[in-house]
Amino acid sequence: MGYAKERKKLEKLSEKTNELQHFDSANLAVITDIFEQYSHTIRILKNKDTATFNDLYLNELQAVKTAKTALKVSEEVDRQIHFMAYKEVLSDAITKTIQATLEVA
C-alpha cells in the first residue's frame, strides 16, 4: 500500500507545528487546523492498515485530544504552558505516525 501521500501531508503538518512558538488566537486557529488534518489522516491510515495504525489512532490521538482539552479549560495565565504542551504532544504524534508510514512502506 502506498503511504507517500499521507506521509507528505504529515510532514507538512509537522513543519507547521514546529513553527508555532506562542499562544495567540492566530496560532490557536493554526494548531486547531493541524489537529483536524492529523485526525483525518490517522483515520485514513487506520482504515488502510488497522494492524499498524490502530495503536497510534487510539493512543496518540487520545493524548492529543487530552492536551487540547487541557488547553481549552486552562486559565488565561496558564494558556502558554498548555499551548506548548499541546504543540509537543501533537508534534510527537505526527512524528510517530510518519515513522510508522516509513516502516510499512
Side-chain angles (χ1 to χ4, degrees):
M1 288 182 201
Y3 298 104
K5 181 179 175 183
E6 284 80 11
R7 184 172 45 250
K8 193 62 148 169
K9 286 182 198 175
L10 291 167
E11 288 168 350
K12 287 181 181 180
L13 293 177
S14 180
E15 289 173 16
K16 284 183 183 179
T17 304
N18 291 332
E19 292 172 2
L20 301 174
Q21 297 301 319
H22 62 279
F23 175 78
D24 63 18
S25 60
N27 284 341
L28 182 59
V30 170
I31 203 167
T32 300
D33 183 55
I34 292 168
F35 167 74
E36 290 171 1
Q37 290 180 51
Y38 171 72
S39 178
H40 179 73
T41 303
I42 193 68
R43 283 187 192 103
I44 290 170
L45 291 168
K46 180 189 73 89
N47 290 338
K48 279 186 175 183
D49 186 350
T50 303
T52 302
F53 296 101
N54 195 51
D55 283 345
L56 288 167
Y57 177 78
L58 294 174
N59 300 326
E60 298 303 318
L61 188 58
Q62 186 58 46
V64 174
K65 287 179 181 178
T66 301
K68 180 181 179 183
T69 301
L71 172 62
K72 193 180 280 189
V73 300
S74 66
E75 297 293 324
E76 188 66 36
V77 294
D78 295 331
R79 291 250 166 95
Q80 178 65 28
I81 294 166
H82 288 284
F83 180 80
M84 295 309 289
Y86 179 27
K87 174 193 160 194
E88 291 303 318
V89 170
L90 182 57
S91 180
D92 187 49
I94 292 170
T95 301
K96 287 179 181 178
T97 307
I98 291 169
Q99 187 61 39
T101 64
L102 291 170
E103 290 171 2
V104 297

